[in-house]
Amino acid sequence: MFNLPASMGLTDILSLAIAAILVNNYILVQFLGCCSFFGVSKKTDTAVGMGMAVIFVMALASAVSWAVQYFILEPLNLGYMQTIAFILVIATLVQFVEMFMKKSMPALYSALGIFLPLITTNCAVLGAAITNIDNGNSFIGSVVYGVSAGIGYTLAIVLFASIRERLDLTAKCPKCFEGFPIALISAALLAMSFMGFSGLQVFK
Amino acid sequence: MDTMNVVYAVLVLFVMGVVFAILLGIAAKVFAVEVDERIPLVRECLPGANCGGCGFPGCDGLATAIVEGKAPVNGCPVGGAAAAAKIAEVMGVEADSSEPKVAHVHCNGGCNAKDKAVYEGLQDCTAAMRVAGGPKACAFGCMGLGSCVKACAFDAIHVVNGCAVVDPDKCVACGKCAAACPKKLIDMVPKSKKVHVNCMNKDKGAQAMKVCDNACIGCMKCEKTCKFDAIHVSGNVAVIDYDKCKGCKMCAKACPKGAIEPVPTPEEKAKFEAMMKAQAEKAKAAAEAAKAAAEAPKAE
């Protein structure tokens, strides 16, 4: 009844993970999720918090959206409604997770709580969910891909936040570049250096 | 068929939406966290700047702590007595009237403190400290790189002539500058007190004199001058006991180095010295008279 994608081998999954973290880094190579990347990267501490929240939500969103795609949309020939359905799913999921964490994991909630609403409409989360379907990943592959995309996001935002902290301290940057302009320039340089991973092939 | 497709799509999304809404509605009931209704009330009394001056994570954190009894009703240094009174009303207790405080920088070296090196690194006090304890010859004094200025959310502290100075009218005693200062030169003093020792140099007098024109040299003149036992030299530096200080400013006038605030004008200083001289002569004359009186019977 359900037309599920073929299961994936361990090497496939590993190379998928490494590709998501480095080669196709969501922020620095695919330029998704840039809003929060610039918004929450002034301090390394908050950047780490945001990164953890993104990993968490991406993993859950990948799993649930995979289920929605193959158990609801595909059998009804509604594959084209993917985007809207996934937004609905992710928004609900984040709300639910927030409530659940507030009740049963107050410590985790106080650490991630303020970042969760920010992620509700983060395009990187939606991007991960849709890419999973486009690539025809298996369920486990989807979850691994979600986690690795989140790790890639965390890596990028933490690197970027530490660069910005350092830049703020030196204060040697020209007046006209202060603040956001220099942040954009450093993000561009960081993105260019990540392009260097594009030739990386693992287990091939 | 085409219309049926559209109807399907609408129906599926509608059903999904309804199911999610019901799930969330149930979740909201199941996972509802009981919040003390006083927390939002207390929160409304607070300034909402989320400065962290109270030591809790933002105003929400303090409001929760106050309701849970972990913080006093006057826990907000920014809102002061007005906020404390309102919170006390919500909590049903009386507010203690706490003496308002301001930050004070205990250094007046600035340009009068000698440099031992030219520093061109990161313009940040903590970073400068890592390089042989900073560019100033005085190991205790303000380097004037302004980490406290960056920490202040209220524009209340500025570097004037190479040394940080607090504007007491703007200062809310949040303590951020004190935490940012790697030399630990800043502390909170009662707002009503106007006399402060502006030096923390714990070196012996001769050494302190070498590194800064305004350094406390531990000469004890202030201690001897004070009639209220409010200023004492401990560890080669004078320290004021704010509980005892009456603000007579005699110690400031007695200080040979101008290390005590308010620094007297030359006229005040001259007047004070004349007064002390007159007092000393009077005492000397009295002593001589007493000596003469003691010797007088012997002569007879």
Side-chain angles (χ1 to χ4, degrees):
Chain A
M1 174 187 176
F2 299 117
N3 184 19
L4 298 182
S7 63
M8 297 162 82
L10 189 61
T11 42
D12 284 343
I13 286 178
L14 270 179
S15 66
L16 190 73
I18 289 177
I21 296 173
L22 296 175
V23 185
N24 291 324
N25 187 295
Y26 260 85
I27 291 172
L28 296 172
V29 179
Q30 304 195 39
F31 308 122
L32 287 172
C34 281
C35 168
S36 57
F37 178 63
F38 285 104
V40 218
S41 60
K42 280 211 175 112
K43 279 187 177 169
T44 319
D45 295 352
T46 44
V48 171
M50 181 72 185
M52 293 301 144
V54 168
I55 294 179
F56 190 66
V57 172
M58 271 191 179
L60 278 174
S62 297
V64 177
S65 61
W66 189 92
V68 167
Q69 171 76 17
Y70 291 108
F71 295 127
I72 297 177
L73 297 182
E74 292 258 300
L76 293 166
N77 281 327
L78 289 174
Y80 61 93
M81 295 300 286
Q82 209 183 36
T83 317
I84 296 176
F86 285 4
I87 291 176
L88 193 66
V89 168
I90 293 168
T92 313
L93 189 70
V94 173
Q95 291 286 312
F96 183 81
V97 166
E98 197 179 344
M99 284 177 201
F100 178 73
M101 275 190 358
K102 206 170 182 178
K103 176 78 174 180
S104 50
M105 292 175 261
L108 193 63
Y109 176 77
S110 56
L112 301 184
I114 43 171
F115 301 114
L116 281 176
L118 280 176
I119 304 169
T120 318
T121 50
N122 190 325
C123 56
V125 177
L126 185 63
I130 290 179
T131 311
N132 269 325
I133 307 304
D134 287 353
N135 290 352
N137 292 342
S138 68
F139 181 74
I140 293 174
S142 294
V143 175
V144 170
Y145 185 80
V147 172
S148 337
I151 293 173
Y153 179 96
T154 312
L155 179 72
I157 198 170
V158 171
L159 277 177
F160 186 56
S162 38
I163 291 175
R164 282 185 83 173
E165 269 188 357
R166 184 93 192 167
L167 270 177
D168 275 353
L169 276 180
T170 46
K172 284 276 166 76
C173 110
K175 196 86 189 161
C176 53
F177 281 122
E178 257 172 32
F180 210 69
I182 194 72
L184 284 171
I185 292 172
S186 32
L189 292 174
L190 197 57
M192 276 163 74
S193 64
F194 260 71
M195 295 287 177
F197 286 119
S198 62
L200 185 72
Q201 286 201 330
V202 193
F203 308 118
K204 288 244 166 111
Chain B
M1 258 330 270
D2 282 343
T3 40
M4 276 321 282
N5 259 344
V6 175
V7 171
Y8 265 139
V10 172
L11 266 182
V12 166
L13 277 186
F14 178 75
V15 170
M16 271 171 78
V18 169
V19 169
F20 286 149
I22 292 171
L23 277 180
L24 278 185
I26 294 170
K29 286 265 184 257
V30 173
F31 298 122
V33 178
E34 281 175 33
V35 180
D36 195 316
E37 59 187 15
R38 290 174 301 177
I39 291 177
L41 290 176
V42 171
R43 174 65 189 78
E44 271 174 33
C45 304
L46 296 168
N50 288 322
C51 69
C54 50
F56 291 95
C59 294
D60 286 326
L62 178 64
T64 313
I66 288 176
V67 172
E68 285 171 0
K70 286 178 193 155
V73 287
N74 58 4
C76 177
V78 181
K86 271 195 253 166
I87 296 168
E89 208 173 287
V90 175
M91 297 295 294
V93 292
E94 296 223 341
D96 319 336
S97 55
S98 57
E99 158 96 68
K101 293 197 162 189
V102 289
H104 185 82
V105 184
H106 291 280
C107 178
N108 64 349
C111 299
N112 294 322
K114 296 186 177 58
D115 290 331
K116 69 178 174 197
V118 178
Y119 177 75
E120 287 191 342
L122 293 179
Q123 295 299 300
D124 175 82
C125 299
T126 311
M129 269 287 273
R130 299 262 168 93
V131 188
K136 292 283 181 197
C138 172
F140 303 91
C142 177
M143 298 176 285
L145 295 171
S147 285
C148 49
V149 179
K150 279 180 214 145
C152 184
F154 303 95
D155 192 35
I157 188 164
H158 298 98
V159 174
V160 180
N161 292 330
C163 186
V165 178
V166 175
D167 179 349
D169 294 333
K170 286 184 184 165
C171 179
V172 297
C174 70
K176 284 275 173 68
C177 53
C181 181
K183 303 265 191 186
K184 302 277 166 269
L185 284 171
I186 307 176
D187 69 356
M188 302 301 135
V189 299
K191 198 170 187 175
S192 59
K193 304 290 178 183
K194 297 293 178 207
V195 183
H196 308 290
V197 179
N198 283 346
C199 184
M200 297 278 252
N201 191 316
K202 293 186 175 64
D203 285 335
K204 290 244 163 58
Q207 176 62 24
M209 216 183 288
K210 261 187 221 165
V211 294
C212 181
D213 290 344
N214 290 358
C216 172
I217 50 174
C219 69
M220 317 280 281
K221 275 194 184 161
C222 49
E223 189 171 322
K224 283 175 204 151
T225 314
C226 186
K227 294 187 172 64
F228 306 103
D229 192 34
I231 186 164
H232 294 282
V233 175
S234 78
N236 295 315
V237 68
V239 179
I240 290 181
D241 181 345
Y242 289 106
D243 290 338
K244 290 180 182 166
C245 178
K246 300 271 190 283
C248 71
K249 301 172 194 160
M250 294 304 266
C251 52
K253 290 174 187 163
C255 180
K257 305 301 280 183
I260 303 177
E261 181 185 307
V263 180
T265 60
E267 295 91 69
E268 280 176 334
K269 187 94 180 162
K271 204 173 154 194
F272 176 78
E273 267 162 18
M275 194 184 86
M276 290 307 279
K277 213 171 164 188
Q279 265 184 14
E281 270 168 16
K282 215 172 159 186
K284 206 175 162 192
E288 267 172 18
K291 204 177 165 192
E295 279 170 4
K298 267 187 203 165
E300 262 179 11

